Amino acid sequence: MTAIGEIDEGFYSRQLYVLGHEAMHRMGTANVLIAGMRGLGVEIAKNVILSGVKSVTVQDEGQAAWTDLSSQFFLKESYLGQNRATCSLQQLSALNPHVCVSAHTGLLDEDLLLQFQVVVLTNSSLDDQKRFGNLCHSKGIKLIVVDTKGLCGQLFCDFGEEFEVLDQDGETPASVMIQNITKDNPGVVLCNEDRNHRLIDGTKVIFSEVQGMTTLNSIGPVEIKDCGPYSFSIGDTSAFSEYERGGVVTEVKQSIKLNFKPLSEALQDRQLTPTDYGKIPRHDTLHLAFQALHNFVKKEQRLPQSWSQADADSLLTIVRELNAVAQLDLDEAVVRSLSYTARGDLAPMNAFMGGLAAQEVIKACSGRFTPLQQWLYFDALECLPEEEDRLSECSFSARGTRYDGQIVVFGSAFQEKLERQKYFLVGAGAIGCELLKNFALIGLGAGEEGHITVTDMDFIERSNLNRQFLFRSPDIGKPKSEVAAKAVREMNPHVKITAHQNRLDADSEGVYDYNFFKDLDGVAAALDNVEARVYLDGRCVQYQKALLEAGTLGSKGHTLVVVPHLTESYGPVTPSSSNTFPLCTLKNFPHRIEHTLQWARDQFEGLFKQTPENVNLFFRDSGFVERTLGLGDAEALEILGGVWSSLEDMGAGGQRPKSWEDCVSWARCKWETLYNNDIRQLLHCFPPEEVTTTGLPFWSGSKRCPHPLTFNPNNTTHVEYVVAAANLYRQIYGINGTRDCTSIRNILERVHVPTFTPKSSVKIHLTDEEMEEEKKKESNDAEIDGFQELKGKLASPILKCSTQMYPIDFEKDDDSNFHMDYIVAASNLRAENYDIPAADRHQSKLIAGSIIPAIATTTTAVAGLMCLELFKLVQGHQKISSYRSAYINMAIQLFVMSRPNRPRLYEVAGKKYTLWDDFLVEGRCSSQQEMTLEELFQYIKEKYSLNICSLFYGTAMLYNGHKERLKKSVSDVVKMVTKADIPPHKKMLELIPSFDEDEQCESVPTIRYLLS
C-alpha cells in the first residue's frame, strides 16, 4: 500500500478488478507465513507477494540441492548448499515494493506461528500438519497445507470454527430493467428482454426507480423465485399501488459463514473437492495414499525410490491397512504411480498447485470468494508414457543436474528430448511470463539443437508488474519479449531463446514463413484476443503443428491442447454481438452505464482521433475527397464537413482554435450541445408524455426519459469535462494549455454560448434499421447544392495552407493525459441526463478501456496445466484420453478437466477427411520446371482419384473451365489472376479445389502447393 488506507491503483490495476478495493484493504493488514522454499513454496510466495498482503515471511531450514533447481526459479547453481529462504529473499522482495518480505531459517514453532493470520505449510510431515493444525485452529489462524509429489498434488484448508465469506463468487451483482410488475400474490416481475436476469431461487434483490408501485423502492432486500430467463416472482404485491413504468432491480450479495474442522479431524471425513470428475475414485485413493506416504517416510526416513517395485509394494501395503477403516474401492495403480514418482519435483505441478494454494491465501486474508472445504487432490498421471514397457529403457537415477527432479519421474532420455525441442511462444504477458519460467525450469530448448522463439509487440507498463513477474520497475518502457528472454536466461543459462517484437499476422509472414514453422516442434499461445488466436491456430493447422492455448479472466481460466490429426483445432471466430450496442441506443436511448461509457469512447474517437486523421489525409492524399464521396451522401457529408470545420477558423464559422481561450470556448459550447441542446431536441421530438400507436408510454421499458442539464461552473463534473475536453482539443492543434481550474473558470465567464431552439424538421431514428434506410435515400437538391458548396470550400488554397493536426490514440493507463478524465466526465454527465447511476473512475476504466481483469494466481495455474500437456506432446502421446483441456474458476473451486474433442469428419466422394488432411504437392521436383495447372490436376487425379473442376486461391478463381490457363505454371496463373507477384517468402500456396465427384461438398482438403 502506498500509505495507510491507500491502494496503489497503478500497480494493482488489473487485480483490483478481480478483488475490489475492500478486499484489497483487508489483505493489506494480513501477515502470512509460508513454510518451505522449494519449488512449491516459492510459487506460493511469489503469488501472495504480488497480491498485496501486508507481509510475507518465508521459512526454510534446508539448503539448496540439485533437485530444487528443477522447480525453484529463484535459486541458481551458485546457491547450492546455501539456505533456500535466504537465497530467495532478494528476488521475492523485488516483486512488490508494498509488501514486507522476510526470511526465517530456524525451526517452525508455536511462538513463530502465533505472529501470523495465515500459515501455509509445504513439504511438511503429517505429524507437523496435525500439531500445527490444532494450534492454528484453536488460535483462529487460517491454515493451508499443500504438497506435490511427482505428478500428484494435495491441498487442505482450515479457516477456523466460523469464517465469513463476504462475496462467494466475485461476480458483478446482476441488474436488469423492469418491463412490468403484477399486482398479485405472489407478484411477478417481468424484465426487459435485452438481457437475461441471471437470478436464481433465493437470490435477494432491491428495487429502485419504480413508478406507480413505489412501495418497492423503500423496502429492504426481497427474496425472489426464478420463473424463467426474463421473469421472477416476489412476495405479495396485491396491496401495493398499480405499476406504471420504469424501475431497476439489483441483486444484493449475501455473505455466508462456513465452519472448518482441524486437519486431524478432517483426515477422517474425506470432504474432497473434485478437480476431475472422471477421477473421483482415484482421488479418494490418493487421500489415503498421501497419509501412507507420510508413514513410509517416517519409517524409512526417505521417499520411495523412483520406479522401485519393492517400495511401491510397501506403500500399497500401508494403504491397504488404512483402508481397513475407510473401506474404499482402492485404485491400486494410482498408489503405485505415486510411489514411482514421489521423488519428482515438477515445475508445472508446483505452478498449478501453487496457484491454487495462493488463491486460498487471498481468500483467507480478504473474505472474498468461497474457500476450499476442505481437501483437494489433483494428478496428471496421464503425463507418464502411454506404453509401460518403455519405462525400463529409461534411466531414472539423479545425475547431479538441475533437471534431477524431473529425471526421476520421466528419465534421462525424455529430458534430452525436451532439450532438443524448438518452440514458438506468441505473447510475453502474464501467461507468457509464467510459461517462460516453466520452460526454463523443465529445460525446454536448452540443448544444442533446441531453441525457443518468443514474440510480443508490447512494451512493459507499470500495471503489468502486478502479475507479469519477470518484469521490474526499471524495465518499464522496454520490450516485453526482450526483458522476459533475459530473465529466462538468468533462471537457466542453458536455454536458447530469441526475442522478437513482431505482431503475429499476415504482415509478419515474411518472418514466420514456411521454413520457420516447418522447423518447429510446437507452438504456445499466450494471447489476449480471439482474432490473434484464430490466426495462429490457422497457421498451426496449415503446418501441422501442435498448439497449446490458454486464457484467463480474473479467477477463471481455460487451457486447450491441439494435437494434429487427433483433436479439433481452436477453430474460427464465432460471430458475437455480446459486446456491441445498437447505435440508436447509444445515440438516443441509453439505459445502462455501459451505454454512456461506450458513447463517451465514441465521442473521444470521433473528436480527437478520426477527425484529425481525416484532416491529415486531406492534406497528403489528393484523392481523399473523391474517395470519401463514394461512401454515401450522409457519411461523406459528415466526414468532409468535419474536415472543413476543423480547418476553418472559429471567427469564420469553423472550429479551428487560435488560442487556449478558443479551446476552452469550444469545450464549453460542446458541453452545451451534448448535455442540453441535443436532449431538448430529443424531448421536442418525443415529449415526456408521448405514447406509442398502441397507447403505451413511449418512455417506458428500456427507454429512459432524459432531462437537459444546465451548466454550473461550481459543479465539479461540469468543470472536469471542460478541462479535459479543452486540453484534448488544444493537443490535436498543438496549442499549450493548463489544468488550472481558476483560470479556466475566468475564461468561461467570457464565453458566448449560442442560443438554441429545437426544430420540428429534425428526424430522430428509433432503430438502427431506420438509420440505414435513411442513408440509402438519394440526396435532394438542397443537399446536392450543399455538397457542391462544401467541395468548393475544401478546394480553397487558403485551407491548404493550414498545418497538420495531431490525432490522439486512447490510452487508459496514463492518468495525466486527460483521456480517462474526459471519458469519466462525458459518460457521467450523459448518465445524469438519463438518471443512470454514475460510475467511478475505476469502474469506468474497466468498461471503457475493455480491461481484462487479471490476477497472478490464475495465470500461474493455467500455465502449469499447459506445461503438463507439453510433457505429453513431447513424448508423442497418441491416445486422446491422455490429453486434457481445462476450465477452472478458482473463486468457487470449480475444475472441469475434459478430454479434447476429436476433429469433425467430412466426406468427399465417399472418403472421410478432417481439417488436418491436405493434399501436399511439390510443384517443382528435382530442379525440374514448375508444374502446370494441367499437371497439377493430373497429379490429384492419379494420387487421389479426384477430378478438379474449379480451383481457388483465396477469393481469386484460378480455374473454372479456363482451358487457356492449363498450360501455364501454377504460380503464373496465380500471378495473372491476382495481378500481383507472389512474395519471395511464400514457399507454399493454399489452393481450394472443387471436384467433379462431389461438387457441392462444403469442406474439401486443401491443396498445399510447395513452390520450391
Side-chain angles (χ1 to χ4, degrees):
M1 303 301 159
T2 54
I4 295 175
E6 291 184 11
I7 295 174
D8 185 344
E9 292 193 0
F11 184 81
Y12 292 114
S13 168
R14 304 307 187 259
Q15 181 179 289
L16 273 167
Y17 294 114
V18 183
L19 299 177
H21 285 77
E22 290 183 13
M24 286 289 296
H25 278 299
R26 288 190 290 272
M27 286 172 55
T29 66
N31 301 301
V32 180
L33 172 67
I34 301 172
M37 272 298 105
R38 300 186 68 193
L40 179 58
V42 79
E43 277 285 6
I44 300 167
K46 176 253 292 180
N47 294 328
V48 172
I49 291 166
L50 288 172
S51 74
V53 295
K54 181 180 180 181
S55 75
V56 171
T57 298
V58 294
Q59 181 275 341
D60 200 318
E61 305 163 60
Q63 282 73 47
W66 278 114
T67 51
D68 295 323
L69 298 185
S70 63
S71 67
Q72 220 284 23
F73 44 86
F74 286 153
L75 293 181
K76 300 178 180 179
E77 293 181 20
S78 58
Y79 294 163
L80 294 173
Q82 300 178 47
N83 180 270
R84 286 186 289 252
T86 305
C87 292
S88 306
L89 182 61
Q90 182 180 354
Q91 291 269 43
L92 288 170
S93 298
L95 290 170
N96 189 340
H98 307 301
V99 178
C100 178
V101 185
S102 60
H104 182 83
T105 58
L107 288 167
L108 279 180
D109 57 33
E110 292 187 7
D111 290 339
L112 178 65
L113 265 64
L114 291 173
Q115 300 174 36
F116 301 93
Q117 288 79 51
V118 182
V119 171
V120 183
L121 301 180
T122 70
N123 303 113
S124 54
S125 70
L126 185 58
D127 289 340
D128 279 352
Q129 292 172 13
K130 291 178 178 178
R131 178 162 62 96
F132 294 131
N134 289 334
L135 172 71
C136 290
H137 192 85
S138 65
K139 300 295 184 182
I141 299 169
K142 285 83 174 173
L143 175 71
I144 296 163
V145 176
V146 59
D147 203 358
T148 61
K149 291 291 184 283
L151 288 163
C152 298
Q154 174 194 57
L155 178 62
F156 170 81
C157 291
D158 172 15
F159 290 2
E161 291 289 341
E162 186 176 85
F163 179 77
E164 185 175 16
V165 180
L166 301 169
D167 186 339
Q168 297 174 58
D169 58 13
E171 299 293 336
T172 302
S175 180
V176 288
M177 297 191 72
I178 298 167
Q179 185 75 40
N180 186 48
I181 306 173
T182 63
K183 189 176 177 182
D184 206 346
N185 185 14
V188 175
V189 179
L190 180 65
C191 306
N192 283 340
E193 293 189 3
D194 66 327
R195 63 195 308 189
N196 189 319
H197 62 62
R198 297 191 295 116
L199 302 173
I200 60 174
D201 288 352
T203 302
K204 292 190 175 181
V205 299
I206 57 172
F207 291 83
S208 59
E209 303 178 40
V210 176
Q211 296 181 38
M213 200 178 283
T214 54
T215 307
L216 285 173
N217 296 329
S218 56
I219 62 177
V222 177
E223 190 169 306
I224 71 104
K225 185 174 182 181
D226 183 18
C227 297
Y230 304 107
S231 63
F232 57 85
S233 64
I234 53 177
D236 187 357
T237 61
S238 58
F240 297 167
S241 303
E242 289 284 348
Y243 171 81
E244 293 178 5
R245 71 166 98 173
V248 177
V249 63
T250 305
E251 177 188 8
V252 178
K253 286 293 187 87
Q254 300 292 304
S255 65
I256 59 168
K257 291 184 178 178
L258 302 176
N259 302 312
F260 292 80
K261 294 180 179 179
L263 185 141
S264 55
E265 290 182 29
L267 273 172
Q268 313 308 319
D269 283 357
R270 294 202 318 277
Q271 187 178 354
L272 311 185
T273 294
T275 53
D276 188 328
Y277 288 93
K279 294 182 177 180
I280 292 175
R282 178 186 290 190
H283 293 167
D284 283 336
T285 298
L286 279 177
H287 186 63
L288 295 185
F290 266 84
Q291 295 175 57
L293 192 61
H294 285 294
N295 293 345
F296 182 100
V297 172
K298 188 174 182 180
K299 178 183 176 184
E300 303 292 339
Q301 295 298 298
R302 62 173 176 82
L303 286 164
Q305 296 292 344
S306 296
W307 297 96
S308 164
Q309 294 293 340
D311 283 354
D313 290 340
S314 297
L315 185 65
L316 185 56
T317 299
I318 301 172
V319 171
R320 288 169 178 162
E321 292 171 358
L322 293 172
N323 195 42
V325 177
Q327 293 293 302
L328 295 176
D329 184 10
L330 286 181
D331 183 341
E332 296 192 352
V334 78
V335 178
R336 291 189 176 278
S337 294
L338 175 63
S339 178
Y340 295 152
T341 62
R343 285 180 174 264
D345 191 12
L346 303 175
M349 282 295 299
N350 288 333
F352 180 67
M353 295 302 295
L356 266 58
Q359 187 70 50
E360 296 307 304
V361 174
I362 292 171
K363 295 174 185 178
C365 297
S366 68
R368 188 171 174 90
F369 305 142
T370 304
L372 171 67
Q373 284 196 293
Q374 287 189 254
W375 293 98
L376 177 148
Y377 290 89
F378 173 77
D379 79 85
L381 293 171
E382 300 83 13
C383 291
L384 295 174
E386 290 179 327
E387 305 300 330
E388 288 193 22
D389 57 355
R390 290 173 58 191
L391 301 178
S392 59
E393 302 171 12
C394 303
S395 170
F396 299 97
S397 58
R399 310 167 82 189
T401 75
R402 63 182 305 120
Y403 310 118
D404 279 356
Q406 199 161 265
I407 289 172
V408 296
V409 175
F410 295 109
S412 56
F414 172 70
Q415 187 58 50
E416 291 166 7
K417 193 172 183 181
L418 266 177
E419 294 172 33
R420 291 195 297 270
Q421 295 292 297
K422 296 182 179 68
Y423 252 76
F424 183 30
L425 172 61
V426 186
I431 295 176
C433 283
E434 293 291 340
L435 284 174
L436 285 170
K437 173 255 296 177
N438 292 339
F439 290 172
L441 293 170
I442 68 177
L444 188 78
E448 286 298 320
E449 300 173 33
H451 192 267
I452 297 170
T453 302
V454 56
T455 188
D456 194 310
M457 60 178 292
D458 287 341
F459 294 84
I460 297 166
E461 300 174 357
R462 189 161 182 267
S463 63
N464 301 146
L465 304 183
N466 171 241
R467 65 201 184 284
Q468 299 174 20
F469 87 106
L470 297 181
F471 309 144
R472 303 289 181 269
S473 291
D475 299 323
I476 292 173
K478 297 177 182 177
K480 286 185 176 181
S481 58
E482 287 186 5
V483 176
K486 181 182 177 184
V488 164
R489 292 188 200 102
E490 290 176 0
M491 279 184 191
N492 184 350
H494 304 291
V495 170
K496 296 173 177 60
I497 183 168
T498 301
H500 294 171
Q501 287 86 52
N502 300 316
R503 182 197 296 272
L504 194 78
D505 57 17
D507 292 339
S508 62
E509 288 183 7
V511 179
Y512 309 116
D513 58 7
Y514 174 84
N515 292 330
F516 175 83
F517 269 92
K518 277 299 178 185
D519 201 35
L520 294 175
D521 292 294
V523 177
L527 294 158
D528 61 1
N529 68 88
V530 172
E531 290 74 18
R533 289 183 176 111
V534 170
Y535 175 80
L536 180 58
D537 175 70
R539 302 300 301 282
C540 289
V541 171
Q542 180 182 359
Y543 295 112
Q544 311 272 297
K545 298 299 175 184
L547 172 67
L548 293 163
E549 190 276 326
T552 69
L553 179 66
S555 63
K556 305 181 187 79
H558 79 268
T559 64
L560 176 71
V561 57
V562 176
V563 188
H565 300 285
L566 188 64
T567 74
E568 66 182 4
S569 70
Y570 181 85
V573 176
T574 302
S576 171
S577 59
S578 58
N579 293 322
T580 60
F581 304 114
L583 291 177
C584 284
T585 297
L586 298 180
K587 190 175 177 63
N588 298 312
F589 309 115
H591 55 270
R592 307 203 314 254
I593 196 67
E594 291 90 341
H595 298 153
T596 65
L597 282 163
Q598 183 60 56
W599 176 87
R601 270 300 309 270
D602 293 346
Q603 288 287 318
F604 183 100
E605 295 294 321
L607 293 170
F608 309 121
K609 185 175 191 291
Q610 290 167 1
T611 298
E613 285 178 345
N614 288 335
V615 167
N616 292 343
L617 277 172
F618 169 73
F619 282 138
R620 66 173 182 262
D621 184 351
S622 59
F624 171 75
V625 173
E626 290 303 320
R627 194 168 60 253
T628 303
L629 290 172
L631 296 175
D633 292 352
E635 191 172 354
L637 190 61
E638 182 180 352
I639 291 172
L640 297 178
V643 169
W644 174 81
S645 66
S646 297
L647 295 174
E648 190 68 62
D649 288 345
M650 287 183 171
Q655 297 290 327
R656 186 178 188 87
K658 291 183 176 180
S659 65
W660 167 241
E661 287 75 12
D662 285 349
C663 296
V664 175
S665 177
W666 174 87
R668 171 64 184 89
C669 292
K670 180 59 72 174
W671 189 102
E672 194 72 16
T673 298
L674 296 175
Y675 304 112
N676 184 283
N677 301 350
D678 288 352
I679 301 300
R680 287 167 59 198
Q681 179 64 61
L682 180 60
L683 291 172
H684 179 76
C685 295
F686 302 106
E689 301 307 320
E690 179 88 354
V691 294
T692 66
T693 54
T694 59
L696 294 174
F698 177 84
W699 294 106
S700 63
S702 62
K703 290 187 176 70
R704 288 174 173 266
C705 185
H707 63 273
L709 305 183
T710 302
F711 186 80
N712 179 357
N714 296 315
N715 183 300
T716 303
T717 310
H718 293 196
V719 174
E720 284 174 348
Y721 176 89
V722 172
V723 172
N727 272 284
L728 291 169
Y729 202 61
R730 60 91 181 166
Q731 286 177 31
I732 62 176
Y733 285 101
I735 296 170
N736 293 325
T738 180
R739 289 178 176 272
D740 182 40
C741 289
T742 303
S743 67
I744 291 172
R745 283 192 178 93
N746 290 335
I747 297 172
L748 287 171
E749 291 177 359
R750 302 190 296 272
V751 172
H752 169 67
V753 179
T755 57
F756 173 78
T757 303
K759 298 180 179 64
S760 298
S761 58
V762 171
K763 178 175 175 56
I764 292 177
H765 303 108
L766 298 180
T767 66
D768 286 6
E769 290 74 22
E770 281 186 18
M771 196 179 293
E772 288 301 315
E773 286 298 320
E774 188 72 22
K775 286 182 181 179
K776 294 175 184 176
K777 290 183 180 177
E778 292 187 5
S779 301
N780 56 37
D781 292 342
E783 288 171 333
I784 293 171
D785 290 343
F787 266 121
Q788 294 304 319
E789 183 184 356
L790 187 58
K791 286 177 68 175
K793 288 179 178 178
L794 289 171
S796 168
I798 299 175
L799 220 55
K800 291 284 186 180
C801 295
S802 302
T803 56
Q804 71 164 11
M805 294 179 70
Y806 305 94
I808 299 173
D809 289 313
F810 179 70
E811 171 49 59
K812 59 188 173 292
D813 287 320
D814 182 353
D815 287 337
S816 66
N817 63 9
F818 297 103
H819 297 194
M820 279 310 302
D821 296 341
Y822 178 84
I823 297 294
V824 174
S827 170
N828 284 340
L829 286 167
R830 187 157 176 85
E832 187 181 349
N833 277 138
Y834 286 86
D835 294 315
I836 298 169
D840 62 18
R841 188 184 186 91
H842 181 67
Q843 186 69 10
S844 298
K845 185 186 287 190
L846 171 70
I847 299 169
S850 301
I851 288 175
I852 299 173
I855 191 168
T857 49
T858 315
T859 52
T860 300
V862 299
L865 291 174
M866 291 174 78
C867 289
L868 290 172
E869 298 307 305
L870 175 63
F871 284 158
K872 303 168 190 177
L873 290 172
V874 173
Q875 291 177 85
H877 282 13
Q878 290 302 307
K879 297 177 182 176
I880 198 167
S881 59
S882 297
Y883 291 96
R884 292 290 183 275
S885 293
Y887 171 79
I888 63 175
N889 185 347
M890 293 162 65
I892 57 173
Q893 293 298 343
L894 175 65
F895 304 92
V896 181
M897 309 288 175
S898 59
R899 190 187 74 180
N901 293 324
R902 291 190 179 277
R904 183 179 65 85
L905 289 169
Y906 62 87
E907 195 171 301
V908 178
K911 188 175 180 181
K912 289 182 169 57
Y913 299 90
T914 75
L915 80 161
W916 296 104
D917 295 310
D918 58 21
F919 297 159
L920 189 64
V921 180
E922 292 190 28
R924 194 191 307 264
C925 297
S926 306
S927 302
Q928 295 176 3
Q929 280 192 331
E930 190 194 339
M931 186 180 279
T932 65
L933 200 60
E934 187 174 42
E935 289 168 338
L936 171 63
F937 290 2
Q938 187 63 30
Y939 178 87
I940 297 296
K941 180 178 180 180
E942 290 175 1
K943 186 160 186 179
Y944 302 104
S945 302
L946 291 168
N947 291 285
I948 295 174
C949 58
S950 60
L951 189 66
F952 289 83
Y953 175 64
T955 57
M957 180 178 284
L958 302 185
Y959 179 82
N960 189 19
H962 303 83
K963 292 184 179 180
E964 72 279 6
R965 299 177 183 176
L966 291 174
K967 300 299 182 183
K968 295 180 182 291
S969 71
V970 174
S971 59
D972 282 344
V973 174
V974 169
K975 286 186 279 189
M976 179 185 74
V977 173
T978 62
K979 299 177 181 177
D981 288 334
I982 298 170
H985 67 264
K986 208 163 190 70
K987 301 292 191 292
M988 183 169 72
L989 303 178
E990 288 198 318
L991 310 176
I992 308 299
S994 289
F995 301 108
D996 286 332
E997 289 77 5
D998 210 337
E999 194 171 349
Q1000 302 305 314
C1001 190
E1002 290 184 8
S1003 299
V1004 293
T1006 300
I1007 296 174
R1008 304 199 193 277
Y1009 181 83
L1010 295 178
L1011 291 169
S1012 59

